[in-house]
Amino acid sequence: MARQSRRGVDQENKPPAPAARLAAVVFLFLFCAGALLRLLLCWFNPPQNAFDNHYEPIFLIMETGAIPAKDACFQCYHPPVFYWISAMIGKMTLAGGMTPPHMIKLLQFVCCFYGIATLGVCYLILKKFPLSAFSSAIAFGAICFLPRHIYMSAMNSNDTISYLCVAISIYLTVVALERKLAPLRLALLSIVLTVTVFTKYTAFAVLPSVLAGLLWAYHVRLVVSRKQLWLSILAVLALPLSVLGGNMAANVKHYHTPLPWNVSLYDPSVHRPRDPEPISFVSFKPWDDVVMPMLAPSKLHSFWTMLYSGMWFDTEPYFLSFLDANGGWWQHYYSWYRGEEPFPGRNPSLSRVTMFSAAGLILLGLVPLALVLVGGFLCVSGRWKTLFKASPVHRASLSLFPVLLGFNIAGIIALTVRLPVYNSIKPSYLLNAMPAFMIFIALGVMLLEKNKILKRTTLVASGTLFAFVTVHMLQIVFSIHTLITQVH
């Protein structure tokens, strides 16, 4: 009787077949569009166009067969998972006859694969919650068309693998909660967490997030005894914390710090430009980036503005120069960017299309930001309960996201306090919280979609934003292709 009753409830909640097929088509389209934009930008983006030279640690591992010392090169201080995997791929492809230039490009595409795979894991996370099809589509679309993640998926860096591992960790935590913390699920989660914390320091935010989920499982009675709770916590966190602690102890012994950072080789706080005023954690002025959509004097101190604008446009910038033929100006700009020359003044040759794209993306990005804030408030306050009837598993799982976002932001703030220059305020550092952004947007949309006018406004604004992102990325791709054609 119980099974029949449960089957009847599932059938009542199951959407009609035509609606389900339409939703599947929409999600498939969003995923394919997001994947295609990442692949195109990665294909045309030169391998060296990245924030840092992450190839150097990879090549050292390929040459020596061992993980290099933390101070062997500037990027060598990072956790080794990304570099070791890349080095193994590089060695195998070279052994198979691939040329070094093609091997380097392949490693760039491996990062693109991490970015695309992250979209798939985010979709799996989204489907674990009883959200409406409309809110889920808007939230998933916001992730698929997020410019900063598209940019990062086209670069060779350890960022995209950290996003992927964090998303997998969150998904496995939800699955473990569904299975009432079954030992095998906890063991698998523990292994993935151990790998995750050795992808990048910013991925540490996943540890308190998972801990919060386990503690909330006890609060909602998924775990009925404190003994089971502590055994579950031990099963999940003992391995990653032990390995991480041992690594930190070794770092203290050899490098006199638990988390090495090669500022002794190059200190950005000494070389990079900064504003006279200190970093502000209360100001928010995205309209400044509508007028001047890149880093510039008087725009290097607003913490939230740099994080936000850089999420929706290439304000740092690494792709913007492809859209402008004024090469002399960009040479002076990047010299200022490195702290070598004075600022060359405003670029007079940026096209109207580029400026219009920047303004559109930065202004339209306020819509998902508002939805994140609304959804985050609903999640933290518990008012999401008015949107759908949730099980104890959903209640415990939702606790993961505010903790993930909160600790991710706290880590960036701590880094900025330690190194108060724009290098610390990278929007890419915030993308470990992509699953949280997605869930918060979905909750915010579910609240607004009760009103037909707000629902249509959200749909139009989101659709327009996705179109702007597509045009912007295709403009970059076409510009790079044109430059390559002219060179050859």
Short mmCIF file of all heavy atoms in Angstrom, two decimals, residues 70-105:
data_model
loop_
_atom_site.label_atom_id
_atom_site.label_comp_id
_atom_site.label_asym_id
_atom_site.label_seq_id
_atom_site.Cartn_x
_atom_site.Cartn_y
_atom_site.Cartn_z
N LYS A 70 57.52 23.97 -4.30
CA LYS A 70 56.56 25.07 -4.35
C LYS A 70 57.18 26.35 -4.88
O LYS A 70 56.47 27.20 -5.45
CB LYS A 70 56.00 25.32 -2.94
CG LYS A 70 55.27 24.14 -2.32
CD LYS A 70 53.99 23.82 -3.08
CE LYS A 70 53.21 22.71 -2.41
NZ LYS A 70 51.96 22.38 -3.13
N ASP A 71 58.48 26.51 -4.70
CA ASP A 71 59.15 27.73 -5.16
C ASP A 71 59.99 27.51 -6.41
O ASP A 71 60.83 28.33 -6.76
CB ASP A 71 60.02 28.31 -4.05
CG ASP A 71 61.00 27.30 -3.47
OD1 ASP A 71 61.04 26.15 -3.98
OD2 ASP A 71 61.73 27.64 -2.53
N ALA A 72 59.74 26.40 -7.12
CA ALA A 72 60.49 26.13 -8.34
C ALA A 72 60.08 27.06 -9.48
O ALA A 72 60.86 27.29 -10.40
CB ALA A 72 60.29 24.68 -8.76
N CYS A 73 58.85 27.55 -9.44
CA CYS A 73 58.37 28.54 -10.40
C CYS A 73 57.23 29.30 -9.73
O CYS A 73 56.74 28.90 -8.67
CB CYS A 73 57.89 27.89 -11.70
SG CYS A 73 56.40 26.88 -11.56
N PHE A 74 56.81 30.40 -10.34
CA PHE A 74 55.83 31.24 -9.66
C PHE A 74 54.52 30.51 -9.40
O PHE A 74 53.94 30.60 -8.32
CB PHE A 74 55.57 32.51 -10.46
CG PHE A 74 54.59 33.45 -9.78
CD1 PHE A 74 54.93 34.10 -8.61
CD2 PHE A 74 53.32 33.64 -10.30
CE1 PHE A 74 54.04 34.95 -7.97
CE2 PHE A 74 52.42 34.49 -9.67
CZ PHE A 74 52.79 35.14 -8.50
N GLN A 75 54.00 29.74 -10.39
CA GLN A 75 52.73 29.05 -10.22
C GLN A 75 52.86 27.70 -9.53
O GLN A 75 51.84 27.04 -9.28
CB GLN A 75 52.06 28.86 -11.59
CG GLN A 75 51.67 30.16 -12.28
CD GLN A 75 50.71 31.00 -11.47
OE1 GLN A 75 49.84 30.48 -10.78
NE2 GLN A 75 50.87 32.32 -11.53
N CYS A 76 54.06 27.30 -9.18
CA CYS A 76 54.27 25.98 -8.58
C CYS A 76 53.71 25.86 -7.17
O CYS A 76 53.62 24.76 -6.64
CB CYS A 76 55.77 25.66 -8.56
SG CYS A 76 56.47 25.28 -10.19
N TYR A 77 53.34 26.98 -6.56
CA TYR A 77 52.81 26.90 -5.19
C TYR A 77 51.40 26.32 -5.15
O TYR A 77 50.92 25.89 -4.09
CB TYR A 77 52.81 28.30 -4.55
CG TYR A 77 51.76 29.25 -5.08
CD1 TYR A 77 50.50 29.32 -4.49
CD2 TYR A 77 52.03 30.09 -6.16
CE1 TYR A 77 49.54 30.20 -4.97
CE2 TYR A 77 51.08 30.96 -6.64
CZ TYR A 77 49.84 31.01 -6.05
OH TYR A 77 48.87 31.87 -6.52
N HIS A 78 50.71 26.29 -6.28
CA HIS A 78 49.33 25.80 -6.30
C HIS A 78 49.28 24.31 -5.97
O HIS A 78 50.25 23.58 -6.18
CB HIS A 78 48.72 26.01 -7.69
CG HIS A 78 48.32 27.42 -7.97
ND1 HIS A 78 47.27 28.04 -7.31
CD2 HIS A 78 48.82 28.34 -8.83
CE1 HIS A 78 47.14 29.27 -7.77
NE2 HIS A 78 48.08 29.48 -8.68
N PRO A 79 48.14 23.83 -5.46
CA PRO A 79 47.96 22.38 -5.28
C PRO A 79 48.19 21.64 -6.59
O PRO A 79 47.96 22.19 -7.68
CB PRO A 79 46.50 22.27 -4.80
CG PRO A 79 46.21 23.58 -4.15
CD PRO A 79 46.98 24.60 -4.96
N PRO A 80 48.62 20.37 -6.53
CA PRO A 80 49.19 19.73 -7.72
C PRO A 80 48.24 18.96 -8.64
O PRO A 80 48.66 18.52 -9.70
CB PRO A 80 50.20 18.75 -7.11
CG PRO A 80 49.55 18.33 -5.82
CD PRO A 80 48.84 19.57 -5.31
N VAL A 81 46.96 18.78 -8.25
CA VAL A 81 46.09 17.88 -9.02
C VAL A 81 46.00 18.28 -10.48
O VAL A 81 46.18 17.47 -11.39
CB VAL A 81 44.68 17.80 -8.39
CG1 VAL A 81 43.69 17.16 -9.36
CG2 VAL A 81 44.72 17.00 -7.10
N PHE A 82 45.71 19.55 -10.73
CA PHE A 82 45.56 20.02 -12.11
C PHE A 82 46.84 19.80 -12.92
O PHE A 82 46.80 19.31 -14.07
CB PHE A 82 45.19 21.50 -12.13
CG PHE A 82 45.28 22.14 -13.48
CD1 PHE A 82 44.32 21.90 -14.45
CD2 PHE A 82 46.34 22.99 -13.80
CE1 PHE A 82 44.41 22.48 -15.71
CE2 PHE A 82 46.43 23.57 -15.05
CZ PHE A 82 45.46 23.32 -16.01
N TYR A 83 47.97 20.13 -12.34
CA TYR A 83 49.24 20.05 -13.06
C TYR A 83 49.63 18.60 -13.33
O TYR A 83 50.14 18.28 -14.40
CB TYR A 83 50.33 20.77 -12.27
CG TYR A 83 49.99 22.21 -12.00
CD1 TYR A 83 49.66 22.65 -10.73
CD2 TYR A 83 49.97 23.13 -13.04
CE1 TYR A 83 49.33 23.97 -10.50
CE2 TYR A 83 49.64 24.46 -12.81
CZ TYR A 83 49.31 24.87 -11.53
OH TYR A 83 48.97 26.18 -11.32
N TRP A 84 49.37 17.73 -12.36
CA TRP A 84 49.73 16.33 -12.54
C TRP A 84 48.88 15.69 -13.63
O TRP A 84 49.41 14.99 -14.51
CB TRP A 84 49.56 15.57 -11.22
CG TRP A 84 50.04 14.15 -11.32
CD1 TRP A 84 51.31 13.68 -11.16
CD2 TRP A 84 49.23 13.00 -11.60
NE1 TRP A 84 51.36 12.32 -11.34
CE2 TRP A 84 50.08 11.87 -11.60
CE3 TRP A 84 47.87 12.81 -11.84
CZ2 TRP A 84 49.62 10.58 -11.84
CZ3 TRP A 84 47.41 11.51 -12.09
CH2 TRP A 84 48.28 10.42 -12.09
N ILE A 85 47.57 15.92 -13.62
CA ILE A 85 46.69 15.38 -14.66
C ILE A 85 47.10 15.90 -16.03
O ILE A 85 47.21 15.15 -17.01
CB ILE A 85 45.22 15.72 -14.36
CG1 ILE A 85 44.75 15.00 -13.10
CG2 ILE A 85 44.33 15.33 -15.54
CD1 ILE A 85 43.34 15.37 -12.68
N SER A 86 47.34 17.22 -16.12
CA SER A 86 47.74 17.81 -17.40
C SER A 86 49.05 17.23 -17.89
O SER A 86 49.22 16.96 -19.08
CB SER A 86 47.84 19.33 -17.26
OG SER A 86 46.60 19.91 -16.91
N ALA A 87 50.01 17.03 -16.96
CA ALA A 87 51.31 16.48 -17.35
C ALA A 87 51.17 15.05 -17.86
O ALA A 87 51.83 14.66 -18.84
CB ALA A 87 52.27 16.52 -16.17
N MET A 88 50.32 14.26 -17.24
CA MET A 88 50.12 12.89 -17.69
C MET A 88 49.49 12.87 -19.09
O MET A 88 49.88 12.07 -19.94
CB MET A 88 49.24 12.13 -16.71
CG MET A 88 49.86 11.92 -15.32
SD MET A 88 51.47 11.09 -15.35
CE MET A 88 52.60 12.48 -15.13
N ILE A 89 48.53 13.76 -19.31
CA ILE A 89 47.91 13.85 -20.64
C ILE A 89 48.95 14.29 -21.66
O ILE A 89 49.04 13.76 -22.78
CB ILE A 89 46.72 14.82 -20.62
CG1 ILE A 89 45.59 14.26 -19.73
CG2 ILE A 89 46.20 15.08 -22.03
CD1 ILE A 89 44.44 15.22 -19.53
N GLY A 90 49.75 15.29 -21.29
CA GLY A 90 50.78 15.79 -22.20
C GLY A 90 51.80 14.71 -22.56
O GLY A 90 52.17 14.57 -23.73
N LYS A 91 52.25 13.93 -21.58
CA LYS A 91 53.23 12.88 -21.85
C LYS A 91 52.66 11.80 -22.76
O LYS A 91 53.33 11.33 -23.68
CB LYS A 91 53.70 12.26 -20.54
CG LYS A 91 54.58 13.18 -19.69
CD LYS A 91 55.09 12.48 -18.45
CE LYS A 91 56.08 11.39 -18.79
NZ LYS A 91 56.69 10.80 -17.58
N MET A 92 51.41 11.42 -22.52
CA MET A 92 50.79 10.38 -23.34
C MET A 92 50.62 10.84 -24.79
O MET A 92 50.86 10.07 -25.72
CB MET A 92 49.45 9.97 -22.74
CG MET A 92 49.56 9.14 -21.47
SD MET A 92 47.96 8.45 -20.94
CE MET A 92 47.06 9.97 -20.53
N THR A 93 50.20 12.09 -24.97
CA THR A 93 49.97 12.57 -26.33
C THR A 93 51.29 12.75 -27.09
O THR A 93 51.36 12.46 -28.29
CB THR A 93 49.21 13.91 -26.31
OG1 THR A 93 49.91 14.85 -25.47
CG2 THR A 93 47.80 13.71 -25.75
N LEU A 94 52.33 13.20 -26.39
CA LEU A 94 53.63 13.32 -27.06
C LEU A 94 54.17 11.94 -27.43
O LEU A 94 54.75 11.75 -28.51
CB LEU A 94 54.62 14.05 -26.16
CG LEU A 94 54.41 15.56 -25.95
CD1 LEU A 94 55.46 16.12 -25.02
CD2 LEU A 94 54.42 16.29 -27.29
N ALA A 95 53.97 10.98 -26.51
CA ALA A 95 54.40 9.62 -26.80
C ALA A 95 53.64 9.02 -27.98
O ALA A 95 54.15 8.17 -28.71
CB ALA A 95 54.23 8.73 -25.57
N GLY A 96 52.40 9.48 -28.18
CA GLY A 96 51.59 9.01 -29.29
C GLY A 96 51.88 9.71 -30.60
O GLY A 96 51.23 9.43 -31.61
N GLY A 97 52.83 10.65 -30.61
CA GLY A 97 53.22 11.31 -31.84
C GLY A 97 52.69 12.72 -32.04
O GLY A 97 52.95 13.33 -33.08
N MET A 98 51.98 13.27 -31.08
CA MET A 98 51.46 14.62 -31.21
C MET A 98 52.59 15.63 -31.09
O MET A 98 53.51 15.47 -30.28
CB MET A 98 50.38 14.88 -30.15
CG MET A 98 49.70 16.24 -30.26
SD MET A 98 48.34 16.45 -29.07
CE MET A 98 47.08 15.42 -29.81
N THR A 99 52.53 16.69 -31.86
CA THR A 99 53.55 17.74 -31.80
C THR A 99 53.35 18.59 -30.54
O THR A 99 52.23 18.70 -30.04
CB THR A 99 53.48 18.64 -33.03
OG1 THR A 99 52.21 19.31 -33.05
CG2 THR A 99 53.65 17.83 -34.30
N PRO A 100 54.42 19.21 -30.02
CA PRO A 100 54.28 20.05 -28.83
C PRO A 100 53.23 21.16 -28.96
O PRO A 100 52.45 21.36 -28.02
CB PRO A 100 55.69 20.61 -28.62
CG PRO A 100 56.59 19.56 -29.19
CD PRO A 100 55.85 19.01 -30.38
N PRO A 101 53.16 21.90 -30.08
CA PRO A 101 52.11 22.93 -30.17
C PRO A 101 50.70 22.36 -30.08
O PRO A 101 49.83 22.94 -29.42
CB PRO A 101 52.37 23.57 -31.54
CG PRO A 101 53.81 23.31 -31.82
CD PRO A 101 54.08 21.97 -31.23
N HIS A 102 50.47 21.22 -30.71
CA HIS A 102 49.15 20.61 -30.64
C HIS A 102 48.88 20.07 -29.23
O HIS A 102 47.74 20.10 -28.75
CB HIS A 102 49.03 19.47 -31.66
CG HIS A 102 48.89 19.95 -33.07
ND1 HIS A 102 49.96 20.08 -33.92
CD2 HIS A 102 47.80 20.35 -33.78
CE1 HIS A 102 49.55 20.53 -35.09
NE2 HIS A 102 48.24 20.72 -35.03
N MET A 103 49.91 19.57 -28.56
CA MET A 103 49.75 19.11 -27.18
C MET A 103 49.35 20.26 -26.27
O MET A 103 48.46 20.12 -25.41
CB MET A 103 51.05 18.47 -26.70
CG MET A 103 51.01 17.96 -25.27
SD MET A 103 51.50 19.21 -24.03
CE MET A 103 53.22 19.44 -24.45
N ILE A 104 49.98 21.41 -26.46
CA ILE A 104 49.65 22.58 -25.65
C ILE A 104 48.20 23.00 -25.87
O ILE A 104 47.46 23.32 -24.93
CB ILE A 104 50.62 23.73 -25.98
CG1 ILE A 104 52.03 23.40 -25.49
CG2 ILE A 104 50.14 25.04 -25.35
CD1 ILE A 104 53.08 24.41 -25.91
N LYS A 105 47.77 22.99 -27.13
CA LYS A 105 46.37 23.34 -27.42
C LYS A 105 45.42 22.32 -26.83
O LYS A 105 44.34 22.68 -26.34
CB LYS A 105 46.18 23.43 -28.94
CG LYS A 105 44.84 24.01 -29.36
CD LYS A 105 44.70 25.47 -28.95
CE LYS A 105 43.37 26.06 -29.35
NZ LYS A 105 43.23 27.47 -28.96
#
